[in-house]
Amino acid sequence: MINHRSQPKLLHGVGAPFGGGVQQSAAHRAALGRDIAALQPAWISDHLSFNQFAPMNGSTQTLATGFFLPPAQCPDGVTQAAAQIRHRRATTGVGVAFETPVSYLPPRPTEMSDGDFAAQVAEAADCGIVLDLHNLLCNERNGRQSVENFCAAIPLHRVWEIHVAGGEAQRGFWLDAHSGLVEPNLMAILAEIVPHLPSLGAIIFEIQPDRVASTGLPAIGKMLERLNRIWETAVRSAAVVTDNPACTRTVDPVTPSLWEHALGAALTGTEPPAYPPELANWFHSAEPALELYRYLAQEGRASALVDTAPRTIRSLLTNMGEARTRDVLGQFWRVATPAYTSSEEALAFLDFLSAGGFAEPRLDADIASDRSRLMHWGEEEARMPFA
């Protein structure tokens, strides 16, 4: 733990994002409360996205998506997200900020622009903004609003934190992969905007742990020196509130619940809702992006199993090889929607293998070993969302 260190700390969540209608669970609320008590963060944050949805079929069941999905960018979506943020602030007693999301989807004709939506959520919730510049760069490169226009739309005095990262091209999209150094173009954007952010309290560089070695610590160190020099240009004064351009009010036939069910069903293969023709037309145009989301969700599920069921995955790879192991995973994904936590996902996979009659050497013993390990996990590990 880092709670003994004297530096100011921040707490960034991934388990209960603000962009959807599913409420934060009691278990997540309790775990977050313990983390806040231990770390005493200057503020907390989570994503303006959703990772669970409630099917519009009269059921009280909620389903996990397996990956963060963008929220419904409409007036009702603003109201819903702002209510989630205000509730988080009320239950934790600390300041709350939302992270500007990445979206690989094409814009819908009737939705609010990315910047207008973020601006209205920030104002309605009276909260901070985690300005993820690489997310915005991905959005721009994938056909959404430009970084410049997004930043012109939001209240800059509400930006408390900036995230930067490296990305990569895949399947015709630019991905927020956290895969390497901050590219020069993004560094220039950062240098230009930082002096205009009077409330800025942190600049965060994000990189996947498995990309550190290939990127190289010396190169990362030089880049961090550059980030420090940009940090020194930040204005250390009280925020001057200026009026932002008026946001365009839109009439949108797509409600947040319809949007979440439709997107969630597209990823999980569950029964979709009935939706208006204009949304059906948009879904047709969005199929390449939806296929990307399905791929990313499946890769996330596979990666989580490497950590949560390591002996079983190693046994499958040793006896079957990668191609057949991926075929087994595909069979599992076709019958099981994503679980909310990594431990639930692993236990469901182990149950699937046990019931499937896979006669591989030592597989039953490895399944039993991983199952025992999962059953003895600590409370925090067992409830860790992987989406």
Side-chain angles (χ1 to χ4, degrees), residues 155-244:
L156 294 180
H157 65 280
R158 292 190 178 276
V159 175
W160 297 352
E161 182 178 340
I162 286 179
H163 289 182
V164 290
E168 61 189 20
Q170 194 169 146
R171 297 188 170 218
F173 292 84
W174 186 256
L175 300 189
D176 181 42
H178 298 180
S179 55
L181 301 176
V182 178
E183 64 178 83
N185 183 45
L186 189 61
M187 196 72 81
I189 293 171
L190 176 68
E192 181 177 352
I193 197 170
V194 162
H196 303 285
L197 305 177
S199 304
L200 184 63
I203 299 175
I204 307 294
F205 168 61
E206 299 177 298
I207 187 170
Q208 292 285 4
D210 62 354
R211 299 297 188 104
V212 171
S214 59
T215 303
L217 289 178
I220 293 174
K222 289 181 180 179
M223 187 207 63
L224 292 177
E225 290 176 1
R226 172 66 174 142
L227 291 179
N228 278 327
R229 290 195 295 272
I230 294 174
W231 166 255
E232 292 169 357
T233 70
V235 178
R236 303 291 189 264
S237 62
V240 178
V241 179
T242 58
D243 291 332
N244 284 80

Side-chain angles (χ1 to χ4, degrees), residues 32-44:
L32 179 60
R34 290 191 292 272
D35 289 341
I36 290 172
L39 296 175
Q40 296 293 303
W43 61 81
I44 62 174

Side-chain angles (χ1 to χ4, degrees), residues 29-171:
R29 186 161 53 250
L32 179 60
R34 290 191 292 272
D35 289 341
I36 290 172
L39 296 175
Q40 296 293 303
W43 61 81
I44 62 174
S45 58
D46 213 312
H47 299 73
L48 191 58
S49 308
F50 72 95
N51 62 356
Q52 298 182 85
F53 68 100
M56 299 171 65
N57 56 11
S59 169
T60 58
Q61 178 190 28
T62 61
L63 297 176
T65 63
F67 202 80
F68 279 142
L69 295 175
Q73 294 185 183
C74 60
D76 287 345
V78 170
T79 300
Q80 176 175 273
Q84 294 274 30
I85 294 167
R86 289 196 301 268
H87 185 260
R88 191 71 50 85
R89 183 170 59 237
T91 56
T92 61
V94 297
V96 177
F98 66 80
E99 179 182 316
T100 55
V102 67
S103 175
Y104 302 117
L105 299 172
R108 286 189 302 109
T110 57
E111 74 178 5
M112 300 166 66
S113 73
D114 298 346
D116 283 354
F117 179 73
Q120 288 200 29
V121 171
E123 296 291 2
D126 189 20
C127 69
I129 296 174
V130 177
L131 187 65
D132 192 313
L133 288 175
H134 191 258
N135 281 354
L136 302 187
L137 185 63
C138 289
N139 293 348
E140 177 180 325
R141 288 180 175 172
N142 295 323
R144 300 187 65 85
Q145 188 176 34
S146 70
V147 179
E148 180 181 4
N149 288 344
F150 184 100
C151 292
I154 64 171
L156 294 180
H157 65 280
R158 292 190 178 276
V159 175
W160 297 352
E161 182 178 340
I162 286 179
H163 289 182
V164 290
E168 61 189 20
Q170 194 169 146
R171 297 188 170 218

Side-chain angles (χ1 to χ4, degrees), residues 171 173 266-267 286-298:
R171 297 188 170 218
F173 292 84
L267 254 70
E287 183 54 35
L290 294 171
E291 186 57 34
L292 173 68
Y293 275 114
R294 295 184 193 107
Y295 165 76
L296 293 173
Q298 289 177 355

Side-chain angles (χ1 to χ4, degrees), residues 348-371:
F349 181 61
L350 298 178
D351 289 344
F352 166 80
L353 291 176
S354 295
F358 295 93
E360 302 297 333
R362 287 199 51 80
L363 180 59
D364 287 344
D366 289 327
I367 290 173
S369 176
D370 282 336
R371 191 188 305 278

